[in-house]
């Protein structure tokens, strides 16, 4: 089978009287999903058999590369940049395109890349977060979701979450209040948890609790991505945090 975006088949086993039987069933994932989903995309590392089976033969250059070759290529590209923020943007783009390759590159070059994906570069990235924002990498829960926090948590597509990093953006490194643009911190921390500790990325969840910001330049910034009002404080804030903690335990356990 070699059709554009074809649905690959999977083998489903069933047991009858101790004898295993296999049947061929259609997958819910199409071949095009393997090109569009960063969790499935392998770049030029798809084998010829995979390309033909998935219906993506001809949609990639004919050369087949190993993951090692692609990782080396990524590092050569990254090292062309002198500006740390440009390096951060390159890694962020890689994460959005090819998740497996991103974590391979990060885990094998942690000493070189830790200052890029986390402090100090992540501070500058948070300041520019609204300008550079392309695709969501975490969950934004706002004070206006109060009373419905659990329903918002249910929108996160992964069911088995083991590690959550959450911020309300009020104290980001030494930069102070960055509001919703503090999302870069939980994203960066969890990327390192995966690269260093081996936690599957599907089991991690970056969260920003947006209750506003007291930084006027952000409220006036046309590119700011968060709520445009001063921070909510006092009992209303405390109740919101309590609801969030209860919703997380209800959704994912202790």
């Amino acid at each position: 089978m070699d059709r554009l975006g074809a649905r690959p088949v999977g083998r489903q086993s069933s047991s009858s009287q101790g004898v295993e039987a296999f049947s061929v069933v259609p997958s819910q994932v199409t071949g095009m999903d393997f090109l569009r989903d960063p969790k499935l995309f392998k770049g030029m590392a798809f084998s010829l058999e995979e390309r033909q089976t998935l219906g993506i033969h001809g949609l990639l250059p004919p050369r087949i590369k190993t993951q090692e070759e692609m990782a080396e290529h990524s590092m050569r590209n990254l090292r062309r940049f002198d500006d740390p923020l440009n390096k951060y943007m390159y890694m962020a783009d890689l994460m959005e395109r090819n998740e497996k390759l991103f974590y391979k590159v990060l885990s094998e070059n942690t000493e070189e890349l830790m200052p890029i994906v986390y402090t100090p570069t992540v501070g500058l990235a948070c300041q520019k977060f609204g300008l550079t924002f392309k695709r969501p990498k975490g969950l934004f829960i706002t004070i206006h979701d109060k009373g419905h926090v659990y329903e918002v948590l249910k929108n996160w597509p992964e069911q088995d979450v083991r590690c959550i990093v959450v911020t309300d953006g009020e104290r980001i490194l030494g930069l102070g209040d960055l509001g919703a643009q503090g999302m870069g911190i939980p994203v960066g921390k969890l990327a390192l948890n995966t690269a260093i500790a081996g936690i599957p990325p599907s089991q991690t969840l970056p969260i920003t609790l947006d209750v506003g910001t007291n930084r006027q330049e952000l409220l006036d910034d046309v590119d700011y991505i968060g709520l445009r009002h001063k921070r909510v404080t006092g009992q209303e804030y405390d109740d919101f945090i309590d609801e969030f903690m209860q919703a997380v335990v209800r959704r994912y356990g202790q």
Side-chain angles (χ1 to χ4, degrees):
M1 180 174 63
D2 188 7
R3 292 175 295 167
L4 179 65
R7 291 187 182 274
V9 295
R11 293 170 65 85
Q12 187 176 59
S13 62
S14 60
S15 179
S16 176
Q17 298 179 344
V19 178
E20 278 200 340
F22 292 90
S23 59
V24 176
V25 296
S27 171
Q28 295 299 309
V29 180
T30 69
M32 291 304 296
D33 290 327
F34 279 79
L35 297 183
R36 293 170 176 159
D37 188 339
K39 294 180 175 61
L40 302 174
F41 187 54
K42 294 166 56 177
M44 293 172 65
F46 287 104
S47 68
L48 180 59
E49 181 181 5
E50 287 174 327
R51 298 177 188 206
Q52 293 174 336
T53 301
L54 295 173
I56 59 174
H57 184 58
L59 302 183
L60 293 166
R63 180 179 173 183
I64 297 172
K65 288 186 175 183
T66 65
Q67 288 287 339
E68 288 69 25
E69 288 175 320
M70 289 173 48
E72 291 172 2
H73 176 264
S74 295
M75 288 304 297
R76 286 198 304 273
N77 268 324
L78 180 92
R79 288 166 179 154
R80 291 188 299 112
F81 298 110
D82 296 322
D83 183 4
L85 184 59
N86 286 336
K87 292 184 178 183
Y88 177 93
M89 292 301 300
Y90 178 86
M91 291 299 293
D93 182 65
L94 181 60
M95 188 182 195
E96 292 175 359
R97 288 187 290 108
N98 190 332
E99 191 175 273
K100 292 183 179 68
L101 182 59
F102 169 84
Y103 286 112
K104 179 178 178 61
V105 169
L106 182 58
S107 63
E108 293 179 353
N109 302 274
T110 306
E111 184 175 358
E112 179 178 351
L113 295 180
M114 184 181 292
I116 301 300
V117 300
Y118 199 56
T119 181
T121 308
V122 71
L124 180 58
C126 286
Q127 290 177 296
K128 304 290 185 181
F129 199 86
L131 181 64
T132 60
F133 180 82
K134 295 178 181 177
R135 295 178 59 183
K137 298 186 180 70
L139 195 62
F140 293 88
I141 305 176
T142 80
I143 189 68
H144 302 313
D145 297 317
K146 191 172 179 290
H148 308 281
V149 171
Y150 180 72
E151 284 70 25
V152 177
L153 275 175
K154 286 172 63 178
N155 289 334
W156 187 251
E158 303 294 344
Q159 307 298 314
D160 184 21
V161 172
R162 306 291 183 88
C163 184
I164 295 175
V165 175
V166 58
T167 181
D168 71 354
E170 186 172 14
R171 295 183 180 90
I172 299 300
L173 303 175
L175 301 172
D177 186 353
L178 293 183
Q181 299 192 163
M183 177 60 91
I185 296 297
V187 169
K189 281 187 175 181
L190 289 172
L192 289 176
N193 284 344
T194 294
I196 297 173
I199 302 173
S202 62
Q203 294 181 355
T204 68
L205 173 52
I207 297 178
T208 289
L209 301 178
D210 188 358
V211 297
T213 178
N214 290 335
R215 180 165 287 185
Q216 191 60 44
E217 57 262 41
L218 289 179
L219 296 175
D220 296 337
D221 186 351
V222 66
D223 294 316
Y224 181 58
I225 62 171
L227 297 178
R228 293 183 178 274
H229 59 63
K230 296 292 185 180
R231 282 187 171 273
V232 172
T233 59
Q235 191 60 49
E236 186 177 0
Y237 176 87
D238 293 342
D239 292 345
F240 176 58
I241 297 301
D242 286 343
E243 181 186 350
F244 167 73
M245 296 302 298
Q246 292 168 13
V248 167
V249 172
R250 179 183 172 190
R251 178 67 172 158
Y252 301 116
Q254 293 285 355

